[in-house]
Amino acid sequence: MATSNKNLSDHSSKNIIDVSGKTFAIIVSEWNEEVTESLYSGAYQTLLDNGAHKENIIRKNVPGSFELTLAAQWMASEADIDAVICLGCVIQGETKHFDFICDAVAHGITNVGLKYNKPVIFGVLTPNNQQQALDRAGGKHGNKGDEAAITAIKMLGF
Ligand SMILES: Nc1c(NC[C@H](O)[C@H](O)[C@H](O)CO)[nH]c(=O)[nH]c1=O
Ligand SMILES: CC(=O)[C@@H](O)COP(=O)(O)O
C-alpha cells in the first residue's frame, strides 16, 4: 500500500513560502474527535512553524465530515481568508453510508476550491478502522493534519 512505506508528514521544501501574511480557516469535524483533534493540532502547529500568526488561524467546528463542504464554502467566500483546511475522519461502518459521505465530501470540497479560486484542502481520513485513523493522526504514518497544512502553504506558493 502506498502509505505503508510513506510517512504522510514527509514533504519536500518546494513551494514552501512564509505565510506570515496569510489567513487560514481550519474546519474540524467533531465526529471521531480523538482523531480530528490530533489532525487539528498537527495542522495548527505546522502553520505556526511556517510563519502563520495565531490571530490569522480561524478554527470552526462542524458536526460531521459531511458538513465540511458547506462550512468550507462559508469560509472560502470570505475575502480575507486565503486558504481553507478541512479536517475530518470517516470510519467505515456496516453500511454504504461511508461511501456516500466520502464521495460527497471529496467532490464538495473540490468544487468549493474551484468556485472561489483558492486552496480548499481535503484533510479527511477515510480509514477502515480506528487504528488506521490513529496511525495517520500522529501515529506511525505521520499526521494528515501536517500534510493538509503543508498542502495549503504549497498551493499559496504556486
Ligand atoms: N460516521 C461518520 C460521520 N457521520 C455523520 C455525517 O458526517 C453527517 O454529520 C451526518 O450524516 C448528518 O449530515 N461523520 C464523520 O465525520 N465520520 C464518521 O465516521
Ligand atoms: C461512516 C458512518 O456514517 C458510520 O457511522 C455509519 O456506520 P454504519 O454504516 O454502521 O451505520
Side-chain angles (χ1 to χ4, degrees), residues 2 14 111:
K14 295 174 185 168
N111 290 335

Side-chain angles (χ1 to χ4, degrees), residues 29 31-32 63-67 89-91 97 101:
S29 166
W31 259 80
N32 301 309
S65 292
F66 188 84
E67 285 73 39
C89 177
V90 187
I91 299 177
H97 197 220
I101 295 172

